Amino acid sequence: MNLKNILKYLISLAIAGGLLWFTFQQSHLDVADLWQKISAADYRWVLLSGLFTIIAHWSRAERWRVLLEPVVPQRPTSLEATVSVLTGYLANMALPRAGEVARCGTLYRLSAVPVNVSFGTVVAERLFDLLMLLLLLGATFVLEFDRLSQFFMEFLGGKLPKGSSGSSLLLLIGAVLLGGALLAWFLFNRYREALGRHPLYQKVSGFLKGLLDGLLSVRKLRRPGMFVFHTLLIWTMYYLMSYTLFFAMPATAGLGMLAGLTILVVGSLGMAAPTPGGIGSFHLLVGQVALLYGLTSQDGQILATFIHGVSAVMIIILGILALLVVLLRRNKTTNLPDVLDDPKAIKLER
């Protein structure tokens, strides 16, 4: 690991620690009280959540196999793909965004699928997950408009005129977005030629073209129906992973299904933040949004810590088991190339 990566890791770790400290200070949550509440939880619900976690990771691996079918002659087995996915999640717990490379490197060790090829399918996969998250975000905003608009009104701290309603806030946001889009379009058309020669514009346009190509790659799939099925199954399991944990503690057992949807979306945004395993960012966002459903600041933070903790423990356990499988399989298949011994294997396509 070079100095740049070390600095990036230390910065992400500092951000995570700072956010975690801030959330605990804001909620006035005592660590002893947190441990008491979590220790008293009904762990039968935790086991059920763990089952949904396993199904979600398996389904992600199966969807990955569907994406790999048109581009590699050697189709990895379900075990190889699942083990690779789990090692990727474990790597993300240590270093943000390291999981994608670790996942593809593990698959290369097990089945000799080139890293540059598998990495391209992972990028396409992430694009569809982003699309699903955006759809769920829109659905959540429509279904929970009153609560979310109230949250944003309070967050703005009285910066809007008195008597402003959620509808006026929505109109204001829409007007700002529309005005910004029109201004950007005007500037783009006026300075298109000059922008076209700028290196930054070329990089951004190339990146956006790659995103579009990734989204359209689903047309090449041999089993598009299975791809859609597993995408829906993954996100359904993600929902159930956190929703079932509501029933593990008396303070959160009364939360409804819409609360589960809101926490799924907000928690996914927190996990996408550049912190190891979403630490700090997940706690901050989920703890705050829990207030919308009548929880106290302390109970909201306990819920956020409980959900994140269960997820993290499951990733660590499953990730360690996956590493053991890799070691055992590696000893039995010594004829496969090693990603560490073959520099060409880790050369990623732009």
Side-chain angles (χ1 to χ4, degrees):
M1 183 180 290
N2 56 35
L3 181 60
K4 181 180 178 181
N5 288 333
I6 293 175
L7 289 175
K8 287 169 63 177
Y9 176 73
L10 291 177
I11 291 173
S12 66
L13 197 61
I15 294 173
L19 289 175
L20 200 59
W21 175 85
F22 175 78
T23 55
F24 275 70
Q25 287 292 112
Q26 286 290 102
S27 61
H28 304 287
L29 181 62
D30 182 71
V31 176
D33 186 43
L34 169 67
W35 178 248
Q36 180 185 3
K37 293 286 184 66
I38 290 179
S39 300
D42 186 348
Y43 277 81
R44 291 175 297 179
W45 293 104
V46 175
L47 293 176
L48 184 58
S49 176
L51 175 62
F52 293 140
T53 302
I54 294 172
I55 295 173
H57 295 331
W58 167 80
S59 183
R60 179 171 290 281
E62 288 299 302
R63 188 181 66 172
W64 193 21
R65 295 176 70 218
V66 173
L67 278 171
L68 286 167
E69 282 180 352
V71 293
V72 293
Q74 65 276 39
R75 186 185 179 195
T77 65
S78 181
L79 176 63
E80 290 169 344
T82 303
V83 165
S84 300
V85 167
L86 292 174
T87 55
Y89 277 117
L90 185 63
N92 268 337
M93 290 291 295
L95 186 64
R97 306 296 172 264
E100 284 75 7
V101 175
R103 169 178 164 181
C104 297
T106 302
L107 189 67
Y108 180 73
R109 285 173 178 265
L110 295 175
S111 61
V113 174
V115 173
N116 60 325
V117 175
S118 60
F119 191 83
T121 59
V122 171
V123 172
E125 179 186 67
R126 293 304 188 196
L127 291 175
F128 283 96
D129 283 334
L130 176 61
L131 181 61
M132 279 296 299
L133 181 57
L134 292 175
L135 291 174
L136 289 173
L137 181 61
T140 303
F141 194 83
V142 171
L143 294 172
E144 293 288 72
F145 174 75
D146 291 337
R147 280 194 174 96
L148 292 177
S149 61
Q150 175 190 352
F151 173 76
F152 286 116
M153 291 282 287
E154 294 175 355
F155 179 76
L156 290 172
K159 295 180 179 61
L160 295 177
K162 291 183 178 181
S164 297
S165 63
S167 300
S168 64
L169 175 61
L170 182 62
L171 289 174
L172 177 61
I173 294 174
V176 171
L177 292 176
L178 179 60
L182 292 175
L183 178 61
W185 180 253
F186 170 77
L187 294 174
F188 173 76
N189 282 307
R190 183 167 183 176
Y191 302 104
R192 179 183 298 181
E193 293 184 4
L195 286 172
R197 296 189 295 268
H198 197 281
L200 179 60
Y201 173 81
Q202 294 173 358
K203 289 182 179 180
V204 172
S205 61
F207 175 74
L208 293 176
K209 183 179 182 300
L211 294 183
L212 181 61
D213 291 341
L215 288 172
L216 295 178
S217 65
V218 72
R219 298 180 303 176
K220 303 176 183 179
L221 297 179
R222 297 173 185 172
R223 297 184 295 160
M226 289 302 296
F227 179 85
V228 174
F229 168 76
H230 281 294
T231 298
L232 296 176
L233 180 60
I234 290 167
W235 284 92
T236 300
M237 292 300 103
Y238 283 172
Y239 173 81
L240 293 175
M241 282 161 54
S242 58
Y243 179 66
T244 51
L245 293 179
F246 291 178
F247 302 100
M249 295 182 291
T252 58
L255 295 177
M257 298 184 69
L258 288 179
L261 179 61
T262 304
I263 288 177
L264 168 66
V265 172
V266 172
S268 298
L269 296 175
M271 294 298 291
T275 58
I279 297 174
S281 54
F282 181 92
H283 298 76
L284 175 64
L285 293 177
V286 172
Q288 287 296 311
V289 81
L291 301 177
L292 300 176
Y293 294 91
L295 294 185
T296 65
S297 181
Q298 290 83 2
D299 286 336
Q301 198 51 239
I302 290 171
L303 176 63
T305 304
F306 187 54
I307 293 175
H308 186 274
V310 170
S311 176
V313 169
M314 285 297 301
I315 288 174
I316 292 171
I317 293 174
L318 295 174
I320 291 174
L321 292 176
L323 288 178
L324 292 176
V325 172
V326 172
L327 292 175
L328 292 174
R329 290 289 297 272
R330 186 65 187 162
N331 291 334
K332 294 180 181 180
T333 56
T334 54
N335 59 316
L336 284 179
D338 194 317
V339 68
L340 299 178
D341 299 331
D342 185 2
K344 294 181 181 180
I346 59 175
K347 182 180 179 182
L348 304 180
E349 292 181 347
R350 293 186 178 181

